[in-house]
Amino acid sequence: MGIKDTFNLAWVPSMLLLGLVYLTYVLIGGVVFWKLEGDLGQKDISLLLRSKNILLTTYPCLNQEGLEAVAQVVQDASKVGLSLRGNYTTDGFWKFTSSAVFAATVVTTIGYGNMSPSSDAGQIFCVFFALFGIPLNVVVLNRVGKYMLALERNISDFLVKKTKRRRCTRFFVHLVSYLSGTVLFFVVPMIVFQMHEGWTFSQAIYYCFITLSTIGFGDFVADSNPEKAYPEWYSVLMASWIFFGLAWLALVINHSIDILERLSNHLKQRRGGQKQEGGSPDTGEADEKAETKTPPEPQ
């Protein structure tokens, strides 16, 4: 195999272009977040420093060391889900239902960070639990996504036989699938979280996407407020929503990747046709054009 075969002349520029687009996209995102959040961050710091000075002035018996001790107590209480308001305590984070949701966030790699094992045995178990649980989760979600896709295809094929309009029917089925998934995994949970967590609709929809995309910042976490008493079914509903929502969003992302790859192949075909008209056909690119991506059918 020669150097030209190893480093395809059509592959290297496209890879460099893709890397340039990726880097540009990340840098643009950094600039936008910097402009949107930078000034607010400075204002938040100024307000916190002012509140600190007011607190030290109001309570002269509380010095810097005492304030740090109070802050440490508040931080430790937040880690275990302990309420500091009133003369009562809650069960904390590590109930069975919340522990099961935590296990789900581990294997799905969401990892909010609001709760984590503190014992040596719990940390070691978490390592091995994630080591085997993450691949298992990927396999199960992949299989569920395949069945979702197969169901969508069966409905599409049935309607194509009735209408005899393949392209319009498939577009309509995809559109209905996307809209119904959006309602089921974003709109309905948004309303539920707004009712039970007291979030705004923008905060709720933000939490839904951050969770289902497995980004999991942890700034908003459902079923974790120690000041609230949640019903038992709430955790079960959350775990079910996370599992099926992850499968649906992964299917949507795979559809988007498929569309982008088809668009890229189409552009390559046009470029290859122009080269052939100019008398310099690219055989490696012609072989690549012949490849088509078809998602696997469920077994």
Side-chain angles (χ1 to χ4, degrees), residues 215-236:
I215 297 174
F217 289 129
D219 48 353
F220 292 94
V221 182
D223 195 23
S224 65
N225 189 346
E227 310 297 333
K228 294 181 179 292
Y230 298 98
E232 293 295 331
W233 54 265
Y234 193 63
S235 297
V236 178

Side-chain angles (χ1 to χ4, degrees), residues 79-93:
K79 287 183 178 180
V80 298
L82 177 65
S83 174
L84 294 179
R85 293 184 179 181
N87 296 321
Y88 67 95
T89 58
T90 63
D91 295 333
F93 282 146

Side-chain angles (χ1 to χ4, degrees), residues 23-260:
L23 180 62
T24 303
Y25 187 79
V26 172
L27 293 178
I28 290 175
V31 170
V32 172
F33 284 124
W34 175 40
K35 293 299 182 181
L36 292 178
E37 302 293 334
D39 294 338
L40 291 178
Q42 293 298 325
K43 291 180 180 179
D44 291 339
I45 293 175
S46 300
L47 290 175
L48 285 174
L49 291 176
R50 189 181 307 169
S51 299
K52 172 188 173 182
N53 294 330
I54 294 175
L55 184 64
L56 293 175
T57 303
T58 305
Y59 303 97
C61 60
L62 186 65
N63 55 15
Q64 180 66 31
E65 290 76 11
L67 181 61
E68 293 177 358
V70 172
Q72 186 63 47
V73 171
V74 174
Q75 183 179 3
D76 294 339
S78 65
K79 287 183 178 180
V80 298
L82 177 65
S83 174
L84 294 179
R85 293 184 179 181
N87 296 321
Y88 67 95
T89 58
T90 63
D91 295 333
F93 282 146
W94 297 106
K95 300 177 291 185
F96 171 72
T97 52
S98 57
S99 299
V101 173
F102 169 76
T105 62
V106 170
V107 298
T108 55
T109 69
I110 296 175
Y112 291 121
N114 65 313
M115 58 187 295
S116 58
S118 56
S119 65
D120 294 338
Q123 291 171 351
I124 296 300
F125 173 75
C126 185
V127 171
F128 288 98
F129 180 74
L131 184 63
F132 295 99
I134 292 174
L136 177 63
N137 177 74
V138 171
V139 171
V140 173
L141 287 180
N142 185 43
R143 182 57 60 90
V144 172
K146 287 179 180 179
Y147 277 105
M148 286 182 176
L149 182 59
L151 178 62
E152 183 179 315
R153 284 181 171 178
N154 291 335
I155 295 175
S156 178
D157 293 339
F158 174 78
L159 294 177
V160 166
K161 292 179 181 178
K162 297 292 184 182
T163 60
K164 306 299 182 182
R165 296 182 178 180
R166 182 182 181 87
R167 183 170 298 179
C168 294
T169 302
R170 288 191 179 277
F171 173 79
F172 176 75
V173 171
H174 284 315
L175 181 61
V176 171
S177 175
Y178 291 157
L179 291 178
S180 59
T182 302
V183 171
L184 185 60
F185 297 114
F186 281 90
V187 177
V188 173
M190 178 184 66
I191 297 173
V192 173
F193 292 140
Q194 196 274 335
M195 293 173 56
H196 287 273
E197 303 292 342
W199 298 337
T200 64
F201 286 117
S202 60
Q203 291 171 340
I205 196 69
Y206 163 79
Y207 167 74
C208 289
F209 182 80
I210 293 300
T211 296
L212 296 185
S213 60
T214 70
I215 297 174
F217 289 129
D219 48 353
F220 292 94
V221 182
D223 195 23
S224 65
N225 189 346
E227 310 297 333
K228 294 181 179 292
Y230 298 98
E232 293 295 331
W233 54 265
Y234 193 63
S235 297
V236 178
L237 184 65
M238 267 199 62
S240 302
W241 167 70
I242 289 175
F243 177 78
F244 290 103
L246 282 173
W248 175 81
L249 190 60
L251 184 63
V252 172
I253 293 175
N254 287 334
H255 271 304
S256 302
I257 293 174
D258 186 45
I259 292 172
L260 291 176

